[in-house]
Amino acid sequence: MLDTTRRIHASNPTDIYFQVNALYCTYVDEDQTRAYDFLESGQKRFPDSQYIMRSWFDCCDHFADISGVERTLKTLRSLCKEEHSSQTALDVRSVILDAYQQKPGDLIDHEIDRIRGITPDAKRRLKKKAHTILGSAR
């Protein structure tokens, strides 16, 4: 898959190249520096890509980089339009930041229940993730 994105990127650069490589560095190589380097390069090349910022948020979340989570969510908010899919992605990531900020679990559960556009199973998994974050900071 990485070879395919490299070939595509060589002929027709897109933001997906930076996303895929950053996510690979994050989840496979566990290399935060390389992941952030890919994302920074991608953001410079595609400054209006909310997809790069979504991936950057996810990488920061994986590495428990709370200041990175806060920074990318702020940037993502400024990039997102009022379209439903963007708002859903923003709402999900806002809940994760709330968990890192140790907001009350009941409040987080309520926020998750109000998110439109995700399945009940996705809401259950998001609640589990939020409570795991809440529990790990104690």
Side-chain angles (χ1 to χ4, degrees):
M1 187 163 94
L2 292 176
D3 288 338
T4 302
T5 58
R6 277 189 205 101
R7 282 193 305 272
I8 293 169
H9 180 70
S11 65
N12 184 20
T14 64
D15 60 355
I16 192 77
Y17 168 81
F18 299 101
Q19 295 171 61
V20 168
N21 280 285
L23 294 170
Y24 185 88
C25 290
T26 298
Y27 294 105
V28 177
D29 292 342
E30 292 286 332
D31 188 337
Q32 182 176 0
T33 302
R34 282 189 61 228
Y36 288 9
D37 286 347
F38 272 111
L39 293 163
E40 186 175 326
S41 296
Q43 186 185 31
K44 285 178 184 174
R45 188 105 184 245
F46 301 97
D48 297 326
S49 173
Q50 61 179 276
Y51 297 104
I52 287 177
M53 293 313 300
R54 288 179 189 187
S55 294
W56 203 329
F57 180 97
D58 296 342
C59 293
C60 291
D61 177 33
H62 178 79
F63 293 116
D65 173 4
I66 299 169
S67 65
V69 165
E70 291 170 339
R71 185 181 62 256
T72 57
L73 187 60
K74 181 179 177 183
T75 303
L76 190 56
R77 281 188 179 121
S78 71
L79 292 174
C80 285
K81 312 289 186 282
E82 288 301 317
E83 61 192 67
H84 185 69
S85 64
S86 295
Q87 190 60 47
T88 300
L90 190 59
D91 291 344
V92 167
R93 287 165 176 83
S94 293
V95 166
I96 293 169
L97 176 59
D98 288 346
Y100 279 118
Q101 293 175 335
Q102 296 297 294
K103 292 190 177 173
D106 291 342
L107 174 66
I108 291 172
D109 288 344
H110 179 70
E111 289 176 3
I112 292 169
D113 289 336
R114 293 182 55 189
I115 296 174
R116 296 180 340 162
I118 63 174
T119 66
D121 185 55
K123 288 180 181 184
R124 181 190 56 75
R125 287 183 283 122
L126 184 56
K127 286 178 183 180
K128 182 178 178 182
K129 178 180 178 71
H131 285 274
T132 297
I133 292 169
L134 287 170
S136 68
R138 290 181 185 163

